[in-house]
Amino acid sequence: MDRNQKIGILCNLGFTPVTTEITSLDTENIDEILNNADVALVNFYADWCRFSQMLHPIFEEASDVIKEEFPNENQVVFARVDCDQHSDIAQRYRISKYPTLKLFRNGMMMKREYRGQRSVKALADYIRQQKSNPIQEIRDLAEITTLDRSKRNIIGYFEQKDSDNYRVFERVANILHDDCAFLSAFGDVSKPERYSGDNIIYKPPGHSAPDMVYLGAMTNFDVTYNWIQDKCVPLVREITFENGEELTEEGLPFLILFHMKEDTESLEIFQNEVARQLISEKGTINFLHADCDKFRHPLLHIQKTPADCPVIAIDSFRHMYVFGNFKDVLIPGKLKQFVFDLHSGKLHREFHHGPDPTDIAPGEQAQDVASSPPESSFQKLAPSEYRYTLLRDRDEL
């Protein structure tokens, strides 16, 4: 028997099924409602957008399903913002397409928005996942030896669960559980690791890197969150077909290392040189690595194959530019200059007109070389006009 049949029977028996009004947010109520909600899923929409119109009944039914499972008012809130009526809110949350579904926890907007299937089941499953406990409890410290060391592991050792220290740890885990595996131990189990009181340990991927200990105030959410985020979100992230839309929508050019999955040595070299040469450029360009086998098409786009890997390239979302020989990344300042040449326009200029005059040896004749760099390949991973109404070419916002 499906859900609609059950509702029909209940109605015939005189029972009223749970139905919920989607909360409409405006400048007067948005902060209060979101701050008081454990989890809130907010639909940013426009009435004239056909994708928004298609989502409305699905969103409402998903809200009804979840309300039956989480009936307390502030456990889960489904809300919406009419972006035509409240353009200030749309600008505040940088809405660039309709509909956009953003997740909030106690008023804090999560970095990852919902990009999954637009169905009642998918939305309900997503909220159930968000409400599940992201922290695995350790019953025996011997379990530490069997951790999946391909992941970034954050382990909290606490005297008791009912404590301010653990509540802050739990709040951070709810936000960053997609980026790290969170574990905790309590009481006698955790005692050998609590020689100086409750503490948090970061275990990096692999078996060679040493553990790192959190030294800040454990009741300070901001300090704890920033420390754990720094460990969970690497400077060089992997791009996949699953997160490509999200990374593309950040709007920053890509500096990408294409490497074979098993070639961890090249990845480590790239990570070290990015940290050494380009840490000041964080926020102006995304540092990424990609599996050569999975991303054969972008490689072909720059006339490379997996056999040529490792390969470093920049995708500016207009064109792709190839770094020279991978080994040159070890030359001090070489990778940094490659990124600076993107920002200055030199890479684009040289593709069209050959080397800049300042790069030509004395007595050498300058020549115009008519060429065009390959068009962006990763731009194709951006949000699709077959799924969203895109605002980048519109004047609405």
Side-chain angles (χ1 to χ4, degrees), residues 120-140:
V120 173
K121 182 180 185 304
L123 286 170
D125 285 346
Y126 173 71
I127 293 299
R128 291 186 191 105
Q129 181 188 25
Q130 297 303 318
K131 289 296 291 180
S132 64
N133 187 352
I135 305 172
Q136 175 187 336
E137 185 170 345
I138 298 168
R139 305 291 182 179
D140 187 324

Side-chain angles (χ1 to χ4, degrees), residues 78-97:
F78 277 68
R80 61 188 175 193
V81 174
D82 183 335
C83 293
D84 277 344
Q85 297 294 320
H86 303 288
S87 59
D88 54 334
I89 297 178
Q91 290 171 357
R92 173 178 170 183
Y93 294 109
R94 299 183 179 181
I95 303 304
S96 61
K97 61 190 185 308

Side-chain angles (χ1 to χ4, degrees), residues 6 34 42 106 108 175 182 250 275 284 294 329 347 366 394:
K6 289 179 182 177
L34 295 184
V42 181
N106 303 113
M108 184 176 183
I175 296 169
F182 285 83
E250 290 180 11
T284 69
K294 291 181 180 177
V329 77
L347 291 180
R394 301 180 65 94

Side-chain angles (χ1 to χ4, degrees), residues 44 80 119 126 143 195 201 222 233 252 277 370 395:
F44 293 85
R80 61 188 175 193
S119 70
Y126 173 71
E143 296 173 29
Y195 41 84
I201 302 290
D222 291 333
V233 183
L252 299 176
Q277 300 185 40
D395 297 323

